[in-house]
Amino acid sequence: MYARDGKLFAQGFDAKALELRGDPVSLGDAITGTNGTGGPIASASETGSVAYVTYQPTNQRLAWVDLSGREIASIPIEPGPYSLRSLSPDDRRVALVRTESASASGLWIADLERGVVTRFTDEPGQIGGAAWSPDGTRIAYMWEDNSPQVLKVKSLAGNSVETFLDSDPLFKGLSDWTPA
């Protein structure tokens, strides 16, 4: 089994010859990938039964909470299929990964005071995480489009985008941006 274009496929494999057998068969559903490798969340039994997780985005509502998890104020942003939030250093904006399909997501910026959400990235592919620069002028994010993940840094003041780690095929993760 393998994933291609966000869908799960099954194909016979000859373990002795190390060759694929027959034509691939699409299982027809958009499949969810793992956070660690992006590989499909799927398993097959010796009897031929297959279990897999399908793509099902859910709308998320933003709110301010205290350290105990109790909501103290709502944020006037329409709920949406958001994940991987990153709060700006001044606490006035949040970077949100918005899921658009099983194989596409974009980075959006929500102004928490005005209640406005605007698209920040417009390239096809998937965003794997985001972090604000310590001065709040740039956002770093992991991006991929069926090629090795790369780290991109984009300025909020313009369309300047720098790409890093583009020659390393291994999985990369982004959790924060530390001050120099």
Side-chain angles (χ1 to χ4, degrees):
M1 290 188 303
Y2 58 92
R4 181 176 27 172
D5 299 326
K7 300 212 182 273
L8 184 64
F9 286 84
Q11 188 169 3
F13 181 74
D14 183 332
K16 284 188 177 184
L18 300 177
E19 295 177 342
L20 294 172
R21 291 183 290 133
D23 294 325
V25 175
S26 172
L27 297 179
D29 290 319
I31 188 161
T32 299
T34 67
N35 288 336
T37 65
I41 300 173
S43 180
S45 74
E46 290 181 17
T47 65
S49 295
V50 176
Y52 57 93
V53 178
T54 59
Y55 163 75
Q56 296 183 5
T58 58
N59 285 341
Q60 304 293 316
R61 185 177 61 83
L62 303 178
W64 291 107
V65 297
D66 64 18
L67 292 176
S68 70
R70 184 178 51 90
E71 184 174 321
I72 54 176
S74 64
I75 295 174
I77 305 285
E78 279 294 314
Y82 303 121
S83 63
L84 301 172
R85 301 143 207 71
S86 178
L87 194 59
S88 66
D90 63 5
D91 296 339
R92 296 176 54 209
R93 295 167 293 181
V94 65
L96 301 165
V97 175
R98 183 181 175 99
T99 303
E100 294 156 2
S101 72
S103 60
S105 59
L107 193 57
W108 294 67
I109 306 293
D111 182 315
L112 300 174
E113 294 171 347
R114 297 182 320 154
V116 176
V117 182
T118 55
R119 188 177 187 104
F120 186 64
T121 60
D122 60 2
E123 55 201 327
Q126 289 189 315
I127 306 291
W132 290 82
S133 63
D135 64 2
T137 62
R138 296 171 291 162
I139 297 178
Y141 57 96
M142 297 307 301
W143 176 84
E144 66 178 303
D145 69 340
N146 296 325
S147 59
Q149 283 182 314
V150 297
L151 174 69
K152 293 193 174 195
V153 177
K154 185 173 180 182
S155 169
L156 272 72
N159 287 330
S160 166
V161 179
E162 294 178 88
T163 301
F164 302 93
L165 305 174
D166 54 349
S167 63
D168 184 356
L170 299 176
F171 176 78
K172 302 158 201 98
L174 172 67
S175 57
D176 205 352
W177 186 328
T178 58

